Amino acid sequence: MAEGSGLRRAATWDRWSGALFVAPYCAFFVLMLVIPLGLGIHLAMTRGDLFGIDEFVGFDNFARLFADPVFLRTVWNTIYFVLLTVPAMTLTGLALALVLNHTSRWAAILRAIFFASTVLSVTVVALIWRLVLIPEGGLAGVVARAIGEQPIAFLSEQALAMPAVAVTTIWWGLGLPMVLFLAALQQIPRDLYEAAALDRASKMRMLFSITLPSIRRTIALVLVIEIILQFQLFGQAHLMTGGGPNNSTRPIVLFIYQTGWKQWQLGYAAAAAQVLFVMIALAAMAQYYITSRKDKA
Amino acid sequence: MNGVRLSRVSKRFGDVPVIDTLSLEIDSGEFVVFLGPSGCGKSTLLRMIAGLESLDEGEILVDGMRVDLLPPGARNVAMVFQQYALYPHMTVRENLVFGLRNARVAADEIERRIEAAAKRLEITELLGRRPGQLSGGQRQRAAIARAIVKKPALFLFDEPLSNLDAALRARTRIELAELHQQLGTTMIFVTHDQVEAMTLASRIVVMNSRRIEQIGTPMEIYRRPATRFVAGFVGTPRINLVPVQVHEADGMALATLPGGATIKTGVAFSSLPSEPNMTLGLRAEVVRIAESANRNAGGTARVVERLGDRTLVHVALPDGTLLTAEDRGNSTVQAGQSVGLNVDGSAAHFFAADGTGYHSEAR
Amino acid sequence: MSLAAVHKPPRTAIVLVTLAAVFMLAPMLWVLILSFKDNTALMADTGSAFLPPWTIANYRSIVGEGQVFTWLMNSVIVSLAMTAGVLMLSSLAAYGFARLEFPGRKLLFVIVLFGLAIPEQAVIIGRHQMFSAASLHNTYAALVLPGLSMPFGVFLMTQYFRAIPKEIDEAALLDGASRLRIFWRILLPLTIPAQATLGIFTFFHAWNDYWWPLISATNRDMVTLTVGIAATQVNFAQSEGLGFLMAQAVFAGVPTLLVYLVFQKYIVRAVAGAAGQ
């Protein structure tokens, strides 16, 4: 009957009209995330170059990666870098948040200063620090001379280059953990502290028994975010050291970039990218698992 | 017919029936209250009438027009929400205009209606303000104004008074009653507060666990509660429900209270099911503190509550069962005192094990 | 929640923090000062930075080299376009996910959430291939379109839409508004704080993006400011001089710092709120 089919059509429209709102975004999601991901995975299993992808080689690229001393070096470099930066940034960010959790003017100004560097792009940061680290004219050199020491060419010393990149990164990204911890600290209910004060707890006690446990989840969150971020180190290394000296500062992403766009071995680069993806996911999951275990304990 | 008719309406959430083949007729101009505890289905029923929930089976008609397949905006129905749901970023005036513009009402007509509604609800000076700048009571009146300007065939109220403080609630109840008198539109009001139901309704639909327990006028609900649930839900203080033994005496049912006292009731013995144990329902006002001459039961006063116009005495019968009794406002009963009770058996109710209520014919 | 002065921190903490602040500011200030010195003077001795004479010759050189303004304009266009695009797509999708029913909605949302876990590296090669095949490199489209797939935007806006009481939608339905009308006139205005958060976040993300513009905009005229500045650093040692480089750093950094100072409150709220989700 006409009325029946009209009602049925209306019902179908009602059922699916909501999807129209979601469709435009989903189109981009598929186009710009899902398909490229698939392409990347497919590519990772081919051997080809600029002039045409062809040979399907299965897991050969991966085997090659794990036998490639340059790649293995980059994996180590990246892990080393993460170890240098993440604990330092997290601890410093937490310390700053604890100290600056105040309504006073100076606290506000200091907070602004610590976060300012975070809004700069990697190219500006790299440029600034290259200029700072110039042996004979950079700020570091000037300061060294002023205290009677010899200036050191940080970026040219194999043992010091990565730490220098790490310091640059810490300088750059310290604001983020600080802000996240500040937000978490402000959520702690005042009465916890008031009750503790009535229990005559010392400041140290309050810190360890109230503050830190209350922001447990945020600490885990910050660690996960920072691990994910620093695993993806690229710009600073690319611009400050180019991966040298002697591959000591080459991170995985720089390896991907150079393999893919300088050597045009796209398959190989794609394989490395997938390995990085898995590493990040594993590290984040492991870290999350560990801290949530401690949570339940 | 005019008014609202629900015909065998059902709704399920998955496999769980939320409303089960419910039928109800509401006359045009009535003020009907859906009363019940939370989770009983009263809000769901209201929202189904509004179009905010779908039906799985059945029909709903408003003024003769079938609405259950229409979108909410096309049903000629207006609703006042519990949290008022005013659009926070618009002024009160814009809130009122929004629905009318959607309905393509002419601009001068819109102005007229807004002016009239604002005057009736005394919010004319508030029209330029945002909801965030209004007090709770003002917001509620704005929400009612928004409903009025639509000139609907049916008003729906979803617990609109529960967010107001006690004094404001009492005042607003009276204003709502006046509003109904002035407008004469059919109104359906949902609440869990039996005082609101009793004072506002022309008829009450008492609901429990997604079933209708009773439909009736406030007095019918009060004096002839169809089920034990209704008896217990309506009336303050809560009705006394005591397990009793039932025997016959002159064709009438004779109830033996725990502790031994016997009460002659006005309920015909033959009308009761043949269960040995039934529950006797006695409202506090029919259990009065009495002198020895008039008493037919007695006990010890445990707690005395002085309300000013009356006194509630919680009395323990010899076996420990508590009864709530009433006395005059200036009663001299003290806690711990031994007191006599006069129980008016003619006002007693019996409730069977399945909850069905039995009353004396005279009520 | 406002900041609570639980207790005043110990003296040593304040001193350490102030020292740390000096560490943060020193590089920026140093670069700033040096940018106002003549190149040859600096070559001789950077210690002369703190003494006059100062000059704006370096900035004149930057301005004179026309390309920098092209880069600046590219950055502005790309950042604004991406921000507008993300805000629109994310809001529409969030409304669908938060308020509307359609088959597969829950599953689809979970899939989008999984997208949050995908790092740039896993997709960048595939994207590069796609745009190469479509001959779309060196266009604004190439610079803007990939960023629109950012799951974070949908995630943030969906949380925000969900937080608006459903009764507002219902009141609007009873007012006869269509779903689209409800979205546009009722709900969207109520999400302005979240729009600000997401907008700022996207703007900075687009402005500071390095890798993708590097490999997609190979034409010097299409490059964004961020990449352009990097390119001119290449021959650092033999470059046009320290002062000039300093001026470049300042020039590239000042826009973002200015935006930061102006929108400071929103930015901090954006970051904290975003990660908190």
Side-chain angles (χ1 to χ4, degrees):
Chain A
M1 171 150 62
E3 189 196 272
S5 67
L7 290 172
R8 240 178 297 124
R9 247 180 292 125
T12 315
W13 168 252
D14 270 342
R15 266 188 102 213
W16 288 96
S17 59
L20 279 184
F21 283 89
V22 174
Y25 171 74
C26 287
F28 278 96
F29 184 81
V30 168
L31 215 52
M32 293 292 152
L33 269 180
V34 177
I35 295 184
L37 183 62
L39 278 178
I41 295 178
H42 171 79
L43 210 50
M45 301 198 278
T46 66
R47 167 163 274 148
D49 55 26
L50 175 60
F51 302 105
I53 323 286
D54 8 69
E55 242 185 296
F56 187 79
V57 292
F59 290 103
D60 270 12
N61 282 329
F62 294 96
R64 203 177 128 207
L65 277 174
F66 289 116
D68 184 344
V70 176
F71 178 71
L72 292 175
R73 186 67 209 262
T74 66
V75 171
W76 164 243
N77 289 340
T78 311
I79 295 179
Y80 180 44
F81 177 73
V82 168
L83 289 174
L84 282 178
T85 51
V86 175
M89 281 172 82
T90 308
L91 280 173
T92 320
L94 179 56
L96 287 175
L98 286 170
V99 174
L100 295 179
N101 188 15
H102 258 267
T103 42
S104 60
R105 203 71 209 281
W106 59 266
I109 294 179
L110 281 172
R111 283 194 304 267
I113 290 176
F114 284 109
F115 194 76
S117 56
T118 312
V119 304
L120 298 171
S121 71
V122 69
T123 49
V124 173
V125 171
L127 182 52
I128 289 179
W129 275 87
R130 283 176 80 188
L131 294 168
V132 165
L133 292 175
I134 296 175
E136 278 299 338
L139 184 58
V142 167
V143 167
R145 285 243 176 267
I147 58 175
E149 289 289 329
Q150 288 279 27
I152 311 174
F154 284 96
L155 296 176
S156 323
E157 296 275 334
Q158 196 163 326
L160 296 176
M162 194 53 123
V165 174
V167 168
T168 307
T169 308
I170 295 175
W171 178 89
W172 185 27
L174 170 34
L176 179 61
M178 180 187 77
V179 162
L180 293 176
F181 284 126
L182 275 170
L185 288 174
Q186 286 159 35
Q187 299 288 341
I188 305 179
R190 300 268 321 257
D191 354 20
L192 286 182
Y193 293 108
E194 289 168 4
L198 283 168
D199 274 344
R200 291 165 50 182
S202 70
K203 285 190 196 155
M204 265 299 141
R205 189 113 268 268
M206 288 205 224
L207 174 65
F208 283 99
S209 303
I210 300 182
T211 313
L212 290 182
S214 300
I215 57 173
R216 230 173 15 217
R217 271 217 210 95
T218 311
I219 297 180
L221 179 72
V222 167
L223 284 173
V224 170
I225 289 179
E226 288 299 332
I227 289 178
I228 293 178
L229 275 178
Q230 305 314 333
F231 252 106
Q232 298 176 46
L233 167 67
F234 176 49
Q236 308 94 290
H238 185 209
L239 293 166
M240 292 174 82
T241 60
N246 201 16
N247 286 331
S248 64
T249 59
R250 190 187 310 272
I252 302 179
V253 178
L254 185 54
F255 178 87
I256 297 173
Y257 169 65
Q258 287 168 334
T259 312
W261 281 273
K262 297 289 183 229
Q263 298 167 25
W264 294 109
Q265 298 181 58
L266 282 175
Y268 200 42
Q274 303 311 323
V275 171
L276 177 62
F277 183 9
V278 170
M279 284 180 71
I280 293 178
L282 284 178
M285 285 198 289
Q287 136 71 27
Y288 189 75
Y289 178 66
I290 294 177
T291 33
S292 55
R293 271 273 294 274
K294 252 196 266 154
D295 229 18
K296 279 158 191 147
Chain B
M1 46 117 14
N2 271 0
V4 181
R5 166 152 61 188
L6 281 76
S7 247
R8 307 185 60 77
V9 165
S10 291
K11 182 171 181 66
R12 281 178 291 278
F13 279 139
D15 288 329
V16 182
V18 179
I19 305 280
D20 200 6
T21 24
L22 190 150
S23 295
L24 179 59
E25 275 193 29
I26 299 174
D27 293 322
S28 177
E30 269 202 278
F31 193 119
V32 169
V33 173
F34 292 170
L35 174 68
S38 25
C40 70
K42 58 191 192 295
S43 280
T44 310
L45 198 55
L46 190 78
R47 290 163 61 84
M48 284 160 77
I49 299 175
L52 301 171
E53 303 275 359
S54 59
L55 280 71
D56 289 315
E57 275 153 33
E59 292 181 354
I60 301 181
L61 289 94
V62 173
D63 278 0
M65 176 176 73
R66 178 139 181 230
V67 298
D68 51 279
L69 294 172
L70 295 178
R75 298 191 181 197
N76 204 9
V77 160
M79 183 151 156
V80 178
F81 292 83
Q82 188 172 0
Q83 316 267 27
Y84 320 132
L86 294 168
Y87 310 125
H89 59 297
M90 296 184 178
T91 62
V92 172
R93 174 181 289 274
E94 287 165 346
N95 265 275
L96 300 184
V97 168
F98 185 71
L100 297 178
R101 270 237 198 93
N102 289 342
R104 308 241 195 300
V105 176
D108 50 344
E109 171 70 10
I110 294 182
E111 267 314 302
R112 245 176 287 141
R113 290 197 198 178
I114 292 183
E115 230 189 276
K119 211 161 100 189
R120 191 194 289 278
L121 290 164
E122 294 172 19
I123 56 168
T124 322
E125 321 81 57
L126 305 176
L127 285 176
R129 301 211 201 145
R130 296 238 162 91
Q133 300 164 303
L134 302 177
S135 70
Q138 290 169 331
R139 265 182 244 165
Q140 204 227 35
R141 275 183 279 148
I144 297 178
R146 180 171 64 176
I148 292 183
V149 295
K150 292 203 274 211
K151 297 214 166 173
L154 176 61
F155 278 96
L156 302 174
F157 294 89
D158 190 357
E159 307 214 37
L161 304 183
S162 47
N163 281 352
L164 303 176
D165 63 62
L168 200 50
R169 212 180 296 170
R171 262 211 325 269
T172 315
R173 244 175 36 219
I174 299 177
E175 288 173 5
L176 273 177
E178 282 178 348
L179 191 71
H180 179 240
Q181 280 169 19
Q182 288 164 12
L183 293 179
T185 322
T186 317
M187 294 187 180
I188 302 181
F189 188 102
V190 159
T191 182
H192 60 272
D193 185 320
Q194 45 110 17
V195 174
E196 285 170 22
M198 293 287 288
T199 55
L200 288 171
S202 53
R203 274 198 301 160
I204 304 179
V205 177
V206 184
M207 294 179 71
N208 183 34
S209 296
R210 301 176 295 278
R211 272 183 12 252
I212 295 187
E213 298 262 333
Q214 185 173 5
I215 305 177
T217 67
M219 274 301 121
E220 284 168 12
I221 303 281
Y222 189 78
R223 296 173 74 91
R224 298 180 67 87
T227 67
R228 186 198 168 110
F229 173 80
V230 175
F233 197 78
V234 177
T236 327
R238 200 167 179 278
I239 192 176
N240 292 302
L241 293 166
V242 285
V244 292
Q245 308 245 321
V246 185
H247 301 286
E248 189 180 354
D250 300 328
M252 293 292 156
L254 184 76
T256 312
L257 297 179
T262 53
I263 309 291
K264 279 185 64 182
T265 72
V267 181
F269 185 76
S270 50
S271 65
L272 294 177
S274 47
E275 285 168 26
N277 297 311
M278 301 202 75
T279 307
L280 191 67
L282 295 165
R283 296 228 180 255
E285 64 258 28
V286 307
V287 182
R288 304 211 60 95
I289 305 288
E291 302 302 313
S292 338
N294 291 338
R295 50 178 291 171
N296 53 9
T300 323
R302 280 279 157 79
V303 178
V304 178
E305 295 179 302
R306 302 184 195 279
L307 294 174
D309 63 326
R310 52 185 173 146
T311 306
L312 297 177
V313 185
H314 301 276
V315 178
L317 296 177
D319 78 316
T321 314
L322 275 183
L323 275 186
T324 306
E326 259 192 34
D327 201 5
R328 329 176 293 278
N330 53 358
S331 158
T332 52
V333 174
Q334 304 278 1
Q337 221 178 310
S338 177
V339 291
L341 299 172
N342 178 298
V343 180
D344 180 3
S346 65
H349 314 273
F350 280 99
F351 297 100
D354 68 348
T356 318
Y358 300 88
H359 324 283
S360 94
E361 291 311 309
R363 296 181 70 74
Chain C
M1 284 268 154
S2 58
L3 292 170
V6 180
H7 47 254
K8 215 158 191 315
R11 264 285 158 83
T12 39
I14 300 188
V15 168
L16 285 174
V17 166
T18 317
L19 282 178
V22 169
F23 169 69
M24 297 300 287
L25 283 178
M28 292 195 261
L29 288 176
W30 187 72
V31 165
L32 182 65
I33 295 177
L34 253 60
S35 71
F36 287 108
K37 292 293 293 182
D38 175 63
N39 283 312
T40 39
L42 284 179
M43 288 278 270
D45 170 24
T46 45
S48 69
F50 301 98
L51 307 165
W54 292 299
T55 164
I56 58 168
N58 296 314
Y59 289 99
R60 272 214 216 99
S61 313
I62 291 182
V63 171
E65 181 188 331
Q67 282 217 308
V68 176
F69 280 100
T70 314
W71 297 340
L72 183 59
M73 202 191 58
N74 288 340
S75 280
V76 169
I77 292 177
V78 168
S79 301
L80 287 180
M82 201 191 290
T83 304
V86 165
L87 285 179
M88 224 156 33
L89 289 177
S90 300
S91 298
L92 283 169
Y95 178 58
F97 282 125
R99 288 300 211 235
L100 303 178
E101 300 280 338
F102 54 87
R105 180 180 63 129
K106 281 207 187 108
L107 179 62
L108 200 55
F109 190 65
V110 169
I111 295 179
V112 170
L113 282 191
F114 270 117
L116 278 172
I118 304 178
E120 195 190 13
Q121 302 82 33
V123 295
I124 197 165
I125 296 182
R127 281 182 191 165
H128 190 256
Q129 294 243 286
M130 284 171 59
F131 278 90
S132 298
S135 300
L136 274 179
H137 282 302
N138 281 310
T139 62
Y140 285 125
L143 292 177
V144 173
L145 293 183
L148 299 181
S149 65
M150 199 164 89
F152 176 67
V154 173
F155 175 59
L156 185 68
M157 294 308 296
T158 306
Q159 301 290 82
Y160 209 78
F161 269 99
R162 282 201 182 135
I164 301 177
K166 274 216 169 117
E167 293 188 330
I168 304 243
D169 292 51
E170 292 173 348
L173 276 175
L174 283 157
D175 269 344
S178 67
R179 290 292 192 184
L180 190 57
R181 200 119 210 269
I182 296 180
F183 170 72
W184 187 252
R185 284 219 62 202
I186 306 286
L187 292 185
L188 205 56
L190 293 176
T191 60
I192 298 216
Q195 306 271 349
T197 299
L198 183 58
I200 287 171
F201 182 86
T202 312
F203 184 83
F204 276 103
H205 174 83
W207 188 279
N208 292 341
D209 197 11
Y210 180 56
W211 194 0
W212 176 251
L214 180 69
I215 59 177
S216 176
T218 50
N219 184 336
R220 227 80 199 308
D221 284 325
M222 274 310 295
V223 152
T224 59
L225 188 61
T226 299
V227 176
I229 295 293
T232 61
Q233 288 178 49
V234 170
N235 298 317
F236 195 75
Q238 311 98 355
S239 74
E240 299 90 279
L242 273 186
F244 182 72
L245 284 174
M246 305 282 184
Q248 267 203 341
V250 173
F251 189 82
V254 160
T256 34
L257 280 177
L258 276 179
V259 172
Y260 168 61
L261 285 174
V262 168
F263 292 102
Q264 203 182 54
K265 240 190 307 183
Y266 294 104
I267 293 176
V268 173
R269 204 171 30 135
V271 167
Q277 307 285 4

